[in-house]
Amino acid sequence: MIKKVGVIGAGQMGNGIAHVMAIAGLDVFLKDISQDQLDKGLKVIEENMQRQVARGKLDEGDMLAALGRISPVLDDTYLSEIDLVIEAATENEEIKKAILAPLGPQLKPEAIIATNTSSISVTRLAAVTDRPAQFMGMHFMNPVPVMKLVELIRGIATSEETFSIIRELTAKLGKTPTPAEDFPAFIVNRILLPMINEAIYTLYEGVGSVQAIDSGMRLGANHPMGPLQLADFIGLDVCLSIMQVLYEGLADTKYRPCPLLVKYVEAGWLGQKTGRGFYDYTTDVPTPTR
Ligand code: CAA
């Protein structure tokens, strides 16, 4: 039974994962490399829980109890206590491997390691750990407290026991698990990211403005957000990483990242988190930039 978890990375995904785990009654260690990152992550968790309280989705007492279950940590001593560690660092294979490789010897022998990678091979990440049978992908969607799905990805060596423990945990979080095979970007991002990339090509080729493309898909296809707004929300660096994994992993030119996406990332225009992407977020209402 999973009772204590570690979440590595207090960013967009990590703080959302810590949020839902703590509400489900688990003790959570939230790990990052700087106090500043931890403080930012905890602030977001508190704001999002407050929002749930304000909408009547969460009791105030339950919020305080959940916040009390989250311990921010900067060192690795927590690893010896936990049943599960979820890596939610930057979507970069080398960074993920550097985080995952040293975990094993510090964990209990039965502890499970999960990665929240949105596209990278689970089998390749498992291979740098000491326990590929107790390793798998647990891919949450953003915003984690709201989105119902968790993709569960087996690496080639993942044991049936590991898979069923994580499937059970997913249900305990109130999420719906969906199994996906270990192919580049799995299911959701294999379908979603090429759509977003195509929206960026549509902008790049001058077929439509940011506003026209987004309202086209919002009103014409009933998407809750237009694809460019969604790209800004996910982070343009993350979108580019996923397209690169698809392009290289499937060796098909249909996944070629749009040059405009590359240029935005090179400029440091990464979307909502940097204040500028396809929209400018420094104005009261986000303003389209093209
Ligand atoms: N934490 C807690 N609650 C939140 C929240 C958060 N971070 N963000 C929104 N909410 C809640 C709101 O409080 C509100 O609650 P009620 O229904 O009780 O009123 C509800 O969610 C809807 O929010 P809003 O009214 O503020 O705004 P909205 O109706 O525009 O919905 C949205 C916001 C849920 C984000 C919606 O726009 C949406 O579903 N967008 C698409 C999201 C999406 O596609 N996510 C997947 C991205 S891909 C991914 O994550 C995979 C990857 O690896 C890249």
Side-chain angles (χ1 to χ4, degrees), residues 37 46 54 103 105 118 131 156 189 213 278 282:
Q37 292 295 99
E46 198 167 338
L103 292 179
S118 42
R131 58 191 73 198
I156 197 165
N189 286 336
I213 292 165
F278 294 108
T282 58

Side-chain angles (χ1 to χ4, degrees), residues 13 19 44 48-49 51-52 55 57 116-119 139-147 188-189 192-193 224-225 229-230 233-234 238 242:
M13 298 308 291
H19 174 136
V44 172
N48 285 334
M49 285 192 187
R51 175 157 37 170
Q52 290 175 304
R55 310 261 183 152
K57 298 245 160 117
N116 181 55
T117 182
S118 42
S119 61
H139 180 214
F140 290 82
M141 307 292 136
N142 185 23
V144 180
V146 180
M147 305 299 281
V188 173
N189 286 336
L192 183 65
L193 267 295
M225 285 178 167
Q229 186 192 1
L230 183 57
F233 179 65
I234 293 171
V238 177
I242 298 172

